[in-house]
Amino acid sequence: METTNIKAFGTEAANAPLNEMNINRRKATPHDVEIEILFCGVCHSDLHTARSEWGPSMYPCVPGHEIVGRVVNVGGHVSKFKVGDLVGVGCMVDSCRECQYCQEGLEQYCEPGMTGTYNSPDKHLQDTPTFGGYSESIVVDENYVLRIPENLDLAATAPLLCAGITTYSPLHHWKVSQGMKVGIVGIGGLGHMGIKIAKAMGATVVAFTTSESKFAEAKRLGADEVVLSKDAGQMAAYRGKLHFILDAVSAEHDINAYLALLRVDGSLALVGAPEQPLPVAAFSIIMGRKSFAGSMIGGIAETQEMLDFCGEHNITADIEMIDIQNINEAYERLLKGDVKYRFVIDMASLKNKN
Ligand code: NAP
Ligand code: ZN
Ligand code: ZN
C-alpha cells in the first residue's frame, strides 16, 4: 500500500513525553477522504492511552480523536464529501459493518471490535497502530467522517467529536427531557458538554464539582444548581432527588455517594474511565431498584445527529487553544482538573514550527 510520510506528535513509551515524530498515512483509496487537520481537542482518554493506563498501548502512540479539518482529496468512489468540505472525525475510523450492532448504527459496540482512531491495529497498514489527530492530516473511509454544521466555530466544535457524543448518547438513551432532574458529575471536557446538552434537552441540571472555581461558573455553562461534592451537607440535600446521573470523572471517586442521590428506578451512567475499579455497594442499588450503567461514545449516525443538534442549539465547547508544543504541560493540567473546559490544539502550530 502506498503511503505518505507526515508530521505528527506522539510518544514512544508510556513514561516518555510527547514529541514531534514522522508517521506514514496510507494514500486515499477509492472510498477514502483525506483531511487536512485544522484543530484537535485533547481528551483525557488521550492521556490515559499515551501512558498505558488502561493496559499496554501500542507505540508509537499518536493520540487525538476530536478532529476537525478540511477535505483536501477524495477517492474515486466517495460520494458524501468533496474537496473543501469542513468535516470531523471522532473516536472510530472503521468497524466490521456487518454485525448486528454495526447494522443498527451502534458501531462503537461492533462485535469484532471497532477500529479506534488511534491505538488500534490499522486494517490497511500491516503491524502499525492507527494514528490520531495530533498530526497534519488523516485518511478515513467516508462512512466514518462527519459533517460540521456551518454556523459553529470550528475550533470549539472539535470537542463535540468525543466529549459531545459521549455525553449526548447516554443522555439521549436514558431519554433525558423536560421534567427530569439530571446530575452531571465532574465538570471537565465531558462534564461541561453534558451540562450544555442536558440543558438543551430540557432537563433541570445539577452540576457536581470538586473545584471551587468551577462552582462559581457552572451556572454560566447552563447548570440550574451546583453542588460542591466535597461538602457532605450539600450532597445530603440531593438524596433521592435525581432521575438520572451522568458521571464523567476521570479518577477514583466514591460512586456510592452518587447512587444515593438517585430516585427509585433512577440510573447512573458512567462515562468516566478511571484506571482502577470503582466499588459499588449492593445496598446502593438494591434500595430503590437503581441501575448502575456505562456508555461508550456513540454511533456514526448518532454522532451526526448530535452535531446537528448542537448546530441547532448553538452549542460548542468552552476551549483553551494551545500549540502542539505545549501538549505535555496540558496533560499535567488535565490531571489537576485545571482546564476550562477543553484544550484544543491549533494544528497550524505543527506545520509552522520545526
Ligand atoms: P477531564 O477534562 O480531565 O475532566 C475530568 C473531571 O473529573 C475533572 O475536570 C474534575 O472535575 C473531575 N475529577 C478529576 N479528578 C478527580 C478526582 N480525583 N475526584 C473527583 N473528581 C475528579 O476529562 P474528560 O476528557 O472529560 O474525560 C473524563 C473521563 O471520561 C476520562 O476518564 C476519559 O477517559 C473518559 N472518557 C470516556 C469516554 C467514553 O466513551 N465512555 C469518552 C471520552 C472520555 P471537577 O473539577 O468538576 O471535580
Ligand atoms: Zn475522547
Ligand atoms: Zn460490527
Side-chain angles (χ1 to χ4, degrees):
M1 166 139 313
E2 263 194 288
T3 60
T4 319
N5 196 253
I6 61 159
K7 268 201 239 178
F9 231 80
T11 177
E12 298 286 352
N15 57 4
L18 277 73
N19 274 307
E20 191 176 314
M21 54 172 63
N22 285 294
I23 56 167
N24 288 329
R25 293 274 188 213
R26 69 176 181 272
K27 293 211 163 141
T29 71
H31 296 280
D32 283 332
V33 172
E34 184 182 342
I35 302 160
E36 176 198 4
I37 301 176
L38 300 174
F39 300 103
C40 185
V42 178
C43 179
H44 207 113
S45 303
D46 297 354
L47 186 162
H48 289 303
T49 307
R51 299 187 179 178
S52 283
E53 288 179 356
W54 294 332
S57 297
M58 302 160 84
Y59 294 95
C61 174
V62 174
H65 59 203
E66 293 184 335
I67 298 167
V68 293
R70 186 180 290 111
V71 175
V72 290
N73 182 23
V74 293
H77 294 167
V78 168
S79 62
K80 296 179 180 162
F81 300 98
K82 59 180 192 315
V83 169
D85 286 352
L86 292 174
V87 295
V89 177
C91 304
M92 70 184 140
V93 290
D94 209 345
S95 64
C96 85
R97 307 169 196 218
E98 284 169 2
C99 74
Q100 185 195 337
Y101 302 119
C102 282
Q103 301 277 326
E104 289 175 3
L106 294 169
E107 300 92 345
Q108 74 275 33
Y109 306 121
C110 173
E111 272 181 23
M114 67 168 199
T115 302
T117 302
Y118 56 80
N119 194 43
S120 276
D122 193 312
K123 283 187 185 170
H124 300 264
L125 303 176
Q126 294 272 304
D127 303 319
T128 308
T130 51
F131 296 123
Y134 299 0
S135 57
E136 289 178 279
S137 62
I138 190 164
V139 176
V140 182
D141 183 292
E142 66 168 331
N143 291 311
Y144 296 80
V145 177
L146 289 311
R147 198 171 291 284
I148 304 294
E150 281 173 10
N151 58 315
L152 299 180
D153 176 75
L154 207 53
T157 297
L160 302 183
L161 274 305
C162 175
I165 185 59
T166 302
T167 51
Y168 178 90
S169 182
L171 290 168
H172 189 236
H173 180 77
W174 273 275
K175 301 188 168 56
V176 164
S177 55
Q178 201 167 8
M180 288 174 75
K181 202 159 199 174
V182 169
I184 307 286
V185 185
I187 312 308
L190 266 56
H192 98 291
M193 290 310 308
I195 293 177
K196 293 183 186 204
I197 293 170
K199 186 69 191 166
M201 289 175 171
T204 300
V205 178
V206 186
F208 293 86
T209 182
T210 59
S211 307
E212 312 256 356
S213 67
K214 296 180 192 171
F215 182 83
E217 302 188 343
K219 289 197 174 161
R220 179 182 58 77
L221 297 172
D224 296 283
E225 297 159 36
V226 192
V227 175
L228 198 55
S229 52
K230 294 182 281 196
D231 181 329
Q234 290 189 34
M235 289 290 279
Y238 284 87
R239 277 188 85 88
K241 296 278 194 291
L242 303 175
H243 295 88
F244 180 72
I245 297 175
L246 185 69
D247 181 334
V249 175
S250 54
E252 271 182 278
H253 60 294
D254 181 11
I255 209 83
N256 302 290
Y258 291 99
L259 289 167
L261 308 186
L262 289 173
R263 296 168 59 85
V264 170
D265 283 335
S267 300
L268 183 152
L270 183 67
V271 289
E275 206 175 341
Q276 298 300 327
L278 299 171
V280 173
F283 284 97
S284 294
I285 47 178
I286 10 192
M287 303 295 287
R289 195 166 56 189
K290 296 171 183 176
S291 301
F292 177 50
S295 182
M296 190 174 78
I297 53 173
I300 293 296
E302 193 182 22
T303 304
Q304 190 62 59
E305 177 187 305
M306 175 277 308
L307 285 166
D308 297 342
F309 176 91
C310 289
E312 258 167 58
H313 293 267
N314 245 305
I315 295 175
T316 52
D318 286 34
I319 64 168
E320 179 177 339
M321 194 94 83
I322 58 166
D323 285 349
I324 189 73
Q325 291 77 12
N326 297 121
I327 189 68
N328 294 301
E329 184 194 331
Y331 278 11
E332 291 313 310
R333 285 183 53 196
L334 213 52
L335 285 174
K336 292 189 224 143
D338 173 27
V339 51
K340 288 178 178 161
Y341 283 85
R342 196 55 138 189
F343 292 118
V344 170
I345 307 164
D346 180 355
M347 292 311 305
S349 59
L350 180 60
K351 286 198 182 147
N352 297 347
K353 297 174 193 164
N354 292 311

